[in-house]
């Protein structure tokens, strides 16, 4: 599986052919390293069990941990994952694109390993134009687990991705170093009230304040 292609992309004006090449690899069961608004991630088709198995293989990781997903927009999430609850819809409208991962019910069509046996999948719309464009070109949400060997630190450096995973993946979309920073805040939106699962870049207080404001506005 050697022979990874590394494509340099200008994040301010991404070449359409590079975006389409990434989408084509994903559609054909490949694994592509892409930038996100924090670190580099491994993009694959979450609806293909074989593609998901390859992601775990690339990372050298067992399949009991769920794979996070990213999407082009809330509409793509609704179409392929399922309609968001009213609270999840409000959170998405306010905090997407951005560092908010919503846990939603896993659709039957998604590869079982994506949910790690939880029956839920985490998805967000990233504040990275290239990542969103690749989702749009792929026509579906894609995986975005960190591009590193399991046990190693995740990286924001595309050269580190090439050094550690170059012989295991098909394509590297290189937009330069990713911004790094805190991981996304994970909120479980499957119940009657959203629950904080993992603190992250977005303050839980801010999320709750927004929901309360929205609820009060509806209550008047």
């Amino acid at each position: 599986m050697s022979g990874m292609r590394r494509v340099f992309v200008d994040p301010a004006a991404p070449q359409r052919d590079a975006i389409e090449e990434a989408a084509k690899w994903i559609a054909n069961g490949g694994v592509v390293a892409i930038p996100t608004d924090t670190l580099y991630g491994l993009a694959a088709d979450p609806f293909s069990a074989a593609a998901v198995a390859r992601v775990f293989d690339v990372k050298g990781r067992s399949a009991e941990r769920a794979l996070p997903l990213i999407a082009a927009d809330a509409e793509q999430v609704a179409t392929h994952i399922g309609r968001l609850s009213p609270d999840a819809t409000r959170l998405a409208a306010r905090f997407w694109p951005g560092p908010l991962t919503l846990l939603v019910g896993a659709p039957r069509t998604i590869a079982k390993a994506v949910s790690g046996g939880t029956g839920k999948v985490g998805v967000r719309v990233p504040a990275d134009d290239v990542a969103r464009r690749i989702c749009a070109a792929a026509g579906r949400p894609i995986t975005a687990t960190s591009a590193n060997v399991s046990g190693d630190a995740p990286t924001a450096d595309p050269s580190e991705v090439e050094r550690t995973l170059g012989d295991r993946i098909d394509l590297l979309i290189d937009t330069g170093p990713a911004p790094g920073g805190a991981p996304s805040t994970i909120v479980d939106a499957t119940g009657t009230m959203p629950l904080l699962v993992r603190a992250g870049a977005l303050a839980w207080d801010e999320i709750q304040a927004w929901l309360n404001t929205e609820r009060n506005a509806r209550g008047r």
Side-chain angles (χ1 to χ4, degrees):
M1 270 194 284
S2 60
M4 176 207 82
R5 226 167 91 72
R6 184 173 181 176
V7 178
F8 295 91
V9 171
D10 177 358
Q15 311 93 293
R16 185 183 296 165
D17 56 347
I19 301 294
E20 285 174 356
E21 184 179 353
K24 194 173 288 183
W25 273 113
I26 292 165
N28 291 329
V31 178
V32 181
I34 66 168
T36 72
D37 40 5
T38 51
L39 303 161
Y40 272 77
L42 294 176
D45 180 1
F47 299 91
S48 160
V52 169
R54 265 202 71 196
V55 172
F56 285 111
D57 196 39
V58 166
K59 288 179 71 81
R61 182 171 113 179
S62 60
E64 70 270 4
R65 284 181 59 202
L67 292 179
L69 306 181
I70 55 171
D73 50 34
E75 190 181 340
Q76 192 178 64
V77 174
T79 302
H80 295 276
I81 306 294
R83 216 173 62 171
L84 295 173
S85 69
D87 275 341
T89 300
R90 285 180 203 102
L91 289 173
R94 170 68 179 85
F95 297 110
W96 284 356
L100 174 67
T101 295
L102 292 175
L103 287 186
V104 296
R108 282 205 306 260
T109 48
I110 212 156
K112 276 202 166 54
V114 172
S115 69
T118 63
K120 302 173 185 179
V121 290
V123 64
R124 72 187 179 96
V125 175
D128 182 279
D129 186 43
V130 170
R132 289 197 310 274
R133 283 174 187 241
I134 291 171
C135 292
R140 60 191 51 204
I142 58 179
T143 69
T145 185
S146 56
N148 59 290
V149 173
S150 193
D152 291 357
T155 184
D157 179 1
S159 293
E160 182 66 10
V161 174
E162 180 171 41
R163 187 184 70 76
T164 55
L165 302 179
D167 60 344
R168 304 184 189 191
I169 63 176
D170 302 300
L171 180 69
L172 166 60
I173 297 292
D174 179 356
T175 57
S184 67
T185 300
I186 301 178
V187 172
D188 188 334
T190 59
T192 49
M193 291 288 283
L195 298 171
L196 179 66
V197 175
R198 181 185 74 188
L202 201 57
W204 179 230
D205 290 354
E206 191 183 342
I207 293 168
Q208 288 180 302
W210 168 253
L211 282 177
N212 289 336
T213 303
E214 284 289 286
R215 288 197 190 102
N216 292 340
R218 278 181 299 142
R220 280 201 294 274

